[in-house]
């Protein structure tokens, strides 16, 4: 048996593949609350609040008992003659009800287990981490406790699970960058920055992926988009991590290169420009002015050399891309 809450609440018999779907919002909310508090007594008062909120019926306790009875009939029982012991899923206590999970699990437990293993592997084995994290995220069928969020119990759990999902996504794409798979994740990160525009980490990861693909201008435009959204929605500037990422891209920081396979263009453009000489002091002679102009010329020559090397590398990439279809033919 598995209780599934990463999406609409349902019960799945893993032996037969049978799915049990509670009918009605209150039945789903009742099952969701009992699963979230599995193994713990949930008081009658809290369950009434979970199902009806501030407008409970006059006979709320009796109505709750009726919903519990219907839910009990939904839960599977051993087939006659199977030899399996009977398991009472929902037990009545003096203060309320408790769901006894027995040997059953939840998809949320499985998700948290896989996500934890993925986080542990991210630093040393990013390839394995991406597989574990994608397996964890594949368990989601929609918003957590979808159709069951009527009271505080399910609402709090749904919010926590959603935060765990977003954290797992951030870890996943960080692991993809560690595994030099930046070209595979740009589209997914674009969608995430649209769906979660206040989440700065997704912008950060997207900027790195674009930069490693030689798309520096687009990486900088992502920062501009993030800044405008944050200022408009929250009235705040991007945090230090995102600002630091923009500065690193502008300076072609070598640390942005993919691990184990540094990009030649990135390493070329990472060469620092010669320091700008200070302008001549007021009243300085013509020699000081000539020295200042010589420094500016040296800086310009250095910049031209960098641009030329970038151009050569881009042309080589273009030639390789053109040659690939021809080779296939």
């Amino acid at each position: 048996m598995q209780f599934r809450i990463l999406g609409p609440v349902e019960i799945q018999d893993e032996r037969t593949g049978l799915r049990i779907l509670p009918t009605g919002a209150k039945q789903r909310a009742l099952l969701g609350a009992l699963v979230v508090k599995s193994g713990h007594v949930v008081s009658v008062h809290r369950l009434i609040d979970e199902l009806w909120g501030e407008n409970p019926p006059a006979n709320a306790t009796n109505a709750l008992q009726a919903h519990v009875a219907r839910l009990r009939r939904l839960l599977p029982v051993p087939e006659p003659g199977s030899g399996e012991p009977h398991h009472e899923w929902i037990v009545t206590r003096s203060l309320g009800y408790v769901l006894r999970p027995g040997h059953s699990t939840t998809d949320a437990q499985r998700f948290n287990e896989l996500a934890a293993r993925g986080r542990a592997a991210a630093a040393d084995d990013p390839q394995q981490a991406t597989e574990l994290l994608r397996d964890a995220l594949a368990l989601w069928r929609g918003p957590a406790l979808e159709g069951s969020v009527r009271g505080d119990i399910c609402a709090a759990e749904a919010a926590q699970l959603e935060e765990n999902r977003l954290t797992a996504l951030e870890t996943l794409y960080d692991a993809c960058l560690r595994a030099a798979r930046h070209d595979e994740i740009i589209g997914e990160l674009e969608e995430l920055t649209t769906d979660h525009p206040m989440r700065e980490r997704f912008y950060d990861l997207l900027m790195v992926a674009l930069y490693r693909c030689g798309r520096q201008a687009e990486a900088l435009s992502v920062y501009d988009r993030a800044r405008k959204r944050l200022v408009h929605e929250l009235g705040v500037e991007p945090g230090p991590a995102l600002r630091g990422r923009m500065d690193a891209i502008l300076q072609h920081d070598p640390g942005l290169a993919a691990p184990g396979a540094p990009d030649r263009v990135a390493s070329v453009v990472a060469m620092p420009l010669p320091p700008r000489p200070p302008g001549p002091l007021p009243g300085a002679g013509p020699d000081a002015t000539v020295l200042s102009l010589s420094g500016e010329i040296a800086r310009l020559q250095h910049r031209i050399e960098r641009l030329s090397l970038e151009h050569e590398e881009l042309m080589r990439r273009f030639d390789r891309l053109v040659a690939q279809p021809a080779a296939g033919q």
Side-chain angles (χ1 to χ4, degrees):
M1 279 279 295
Q2 185 182 69
F3 294 97
R4 305 176 73 186
I5 61 175
L6 300 181
V9 177
E10 65 180 35
I11 306 160
Q12 179 153 357
D13 188 333
E14 296 184 322
R15 297 167 302 177
T16 64
L18 177 67
R19 294 169 60 212
I20 303 168
L21 306 174
T23 58
K26 290 182 177 58
Q27 284 280 291
R28 293 192 295 270
L30 175 60
L31 178 59
L34 291 173
V35 171
V36 168
K37 296 296 184 180
S38 177
H40 299 85
V41 176
V42 188
S43 70
V44 169
H45 173 74
R46 289 199 72 183
L47 288 173
I48 289 173
D49 185 64
E50 196 75 12
L51 270 60
W52 289 283
E54 297 179 356
N55 301 297
N59 58 346
T61 300
N62 291 338
L64 175 62
Q65 288 175 349
H67 279 296
V68 170
R70 283 196 289 272
L71 188 57
R72 279 177 170 144
R73 289 194 292 271
L74 278 178
L75 294 166
V77 296
E79 293 289 335
S82 66
E84 294 184 28
H86 175 74
H87 179 75
E88 188 177 3
W89 293 102
I90 301 175
V91 178
T92 303
R93 298 299 189 205
S94 58
L95 298 178
Y97 300 93
V98 57
L99 175 71
R100 299 194 311 165
H103 297 296
S104 65
T105 60
T106 70
D107 55 353
Q109 290 172 330
R110 179 63 175 160
F111 164 76
N112 288 328
E113 176 194 342
L114 288 170
R117 289 171 56 193
R119 287 193 300 271
D124 299 326
D125 192 347
Q127 186 64 41
Q128 183 190 21
T130 61
E131 295 172 4
L132 289 167
L133 289 162
R134 287 202 182 275
D135 287 345
L137 292 161
L139 296 171
W140 286 71
R141 297 166 290 111
L145 292 152
E146 185 177 6
S148 304
V149 181
R150 301 175 63 86
D152 293 342
I153 295 175
C154 289
E157 184 69 9
Q160 183 59 62
L161 287 169
E162 176 62 10
E163 178 60 28
N164 293 349
R165 185 182 76 88
L166 294 175
T167 301
L169 283 166
E170 292 172 348
T171 308
L172 166 65
Y173 294 116
D174 181 73
C176 288
L177 291 176
R178 291 173 183 270
R181 296 171 62 179
H182 40 273
D183 54 333
E184 301 175 15
I185 60 175
I186 289 175
E188 296 172 50
L189 285 169
E190 287 281 10
E191 290 184 12
L192 286 169
T193 57
T194 301
D195 294 340
H196 304 279
M198 300 298 107
R199 198 97 178 176
E200 291 189 35
R201 181 59 172 150
F202 290 139
Y203 293 111
D204 184 3
L205 294 163
L206 177 58
M207 289 169 68
V208 175
L210 287 168
Y211 179 82
R212 287 185 180 176
C213 291
R215 298 159 66 176
Q216 179 187 353
E218 291 176 67
L220 294 174
S221 73
V222 168
Y223 176 85
D224 185 56
R225 171 157 54 93
R227 180 183 178 279
K228 287 178 179 177
R229 193 66 183 266
L230 290 167
V231 170
H232 176 72
E233 297 289 340
L234 303 178
V236 299
E237 294 285 338
L242 201 58
R243 294 198 304 271
R245 188 69 73 195
M246 180 197 65
D247 291 340
I249 289 174
L250 286 171
Q251 297 170 17
H252 301 286
D253 188 336
L256 293 173
D263 190 308
R264 182 177 179 272
V265 173
S267 63
V268 168
V269 298
M271 294 186 298
L273 290 171
R276 182 189 297 274
L281 297 173
D287 290 341
T289 301
V290 170
L291 180 62
S292 176
L293 289 174
S294 299
E296 291 296 330
I297 291 171
R299 284 173 55 83
L300 287 172
Q301 288 175 335
H302 187 86
R303 178 60 177 162
I304 291 169
E305 180 182 355
R306 290 192 343 183
L307 289 172
S308 177
L309 290 169
E310 286 184 63
H311 175 73
E312 292 174 8
E313 180 63 21
L314 288 171
M315 289 303 298
R316 277 192 289 272
R317 291 183 183 178
F318 177 78
D319 291 340
R320 288 197 296 269
L321 288 171
V322 172
Q324 286 174 2
Q329 293 172 1

